[in-house]
Amino acid sequence: MSHERNITRLDAFTYRELIKNDPIMLIPAGAVEQHGPHMPLGVDMMLSTKMAELVAENIDALVSPTVTTGYKSQQRSGGGNHIVGSFGFDAATVIGICRTFVQEFARHGFKRIAFVNGHYENYQFIYEGVDLALRDLAGRSMPQVMLLSYWDFVTEEVISRLYPDGFPGWDVEHGGVMETSLMLEYFPDLVRMERVMDLPAADLPLYDLLPVDPTLTPESGCLSSAREASAEKGRILAGSIVSGIVDALRSRFMV
């Protein structure tokens, strides 16, 4: 399994040959979104792509072009789309992109497809895109499609180990320990830990308010502090994520 896995770095002839082996297609889905003063706007697209590539190295899978711009940042899970630096597509656009990806990969001959989501707000719109694509394909060769968000594969044991003072929840982890640790492990040159704003976790209401009240989002744009992030934690997190996703794919797709 030493060949290139990301099809954007393959030529069309090599790609067509690899499809003959009936691989799984992994579709990373991210976003362009602010992650505070210490990380770049591309965190979600970069991490979803990296997790997909790491999974692909462990099974017979290829990695699709990344869904780079996702659904609008929400205040209770991403700081909010009012913050300059976040680029939000509307639901119809995200649905349409995901629908087209499934249709195209079905046309190419893939029978097993999995979305590897790295942006909290994307999930339901990926789901809708897949559902509509499968309706379009009804009566023809229809692939099985799995939808997953990579953080759901961090085990309770790892959470207890890395969050000894209590786990705030994945929604409040925006720009916090998990994402920052993974970035320190895989893209350290893009992280500036000296710029981390060590603020308390966001205390947001249990409802959404429109128009958004900007004062509810912490000054950092992050919803929890990344002060305790480290590359070592990134390695631990990635190990849990990759093994969990591989197990899920094997159990459902019988790899």
Side-chain angles (χ1 to χ4, degrees), residues 26-190:
L26 304 177
I27 306 175
V32 180
E33 180 185 40
Q34 65 82 30
H35 283 76
H38 66 290
M39 288 199 294
L41 304 181
V43 165
D44 291 351
M45 73 167 88
M46 295 167 70
L47 291 181
S48 60
T49 305
K50 187 63 180 181
M51 294 303 108
E53 291 174 344
L54 291 171
V55 168
E57 291 173 3
N58 287 269
I59 57 173
D60 186 17
L62 296 174
V63 177
S64 151
T66 302
V67 179
T68 57
T69 307
Y71 185 68
K72 306 177 189 81
S73 176
Q74 302 295 285
Q75 191 168 37
R76 293 196 292 149
S77 53
N81 210 52
H82 63 285
I83 301 175
V84 173
S86 291
F87 295 78
F89 280 11
D90 61 26
T93 303
V94 179
I95 290 167
I97 291 169
C98 296
R99 184 180 191 173
T100 300
F101 266 125
V102 173
Q103 292 170 331
E104 286 296 281
F105 286 127
R107 181 175 67 85
H108 292 180
F110 286 90
K111 302 178 181 67
R112 299 168 297 170
I113 298 169
F115 280 85
V116 181
N117 180 40
H119 178 58
Y120 198 88
E121 290 85 343
N122 278 346
Y123 194 87
Q124 294 302 327
F125 307 111
I126 297 172
Y127 189 106
E128 180 70 1
V130 172
D131 183 62
L132 293 176
L134 294 182
R135 292 189 200 181
D136 296 336
L137 295 167
R140 291 176 279 169
S141 179
M142 186 183 299
Q144 278 193 304
V145 186
M146 181 182 292
L147 283 64
L148 57 92
S149 295
Y150 71 74
W151 50 83
D152 286 334
F153 295 86
V154 179
T155 65
E156 291 297 326
E157 178 183 1
V158 168
I159 289 173
S160 298
R161 179 179 173 186
L162 299 189
Y163 298 89
D165 298 326
F167 178 57
W170 293 128
D171 51 347
V172 185
E173 256 289 282
H174 174 72
V177 170
M178 180 191 69
E179 289 181 315
T180 305
S181 293
L182 288 170
M183 289 293 290
L184 284 169
E185 172 64 3
Y186 295 108
F187 306 99
D189 293 344
L190 299 179

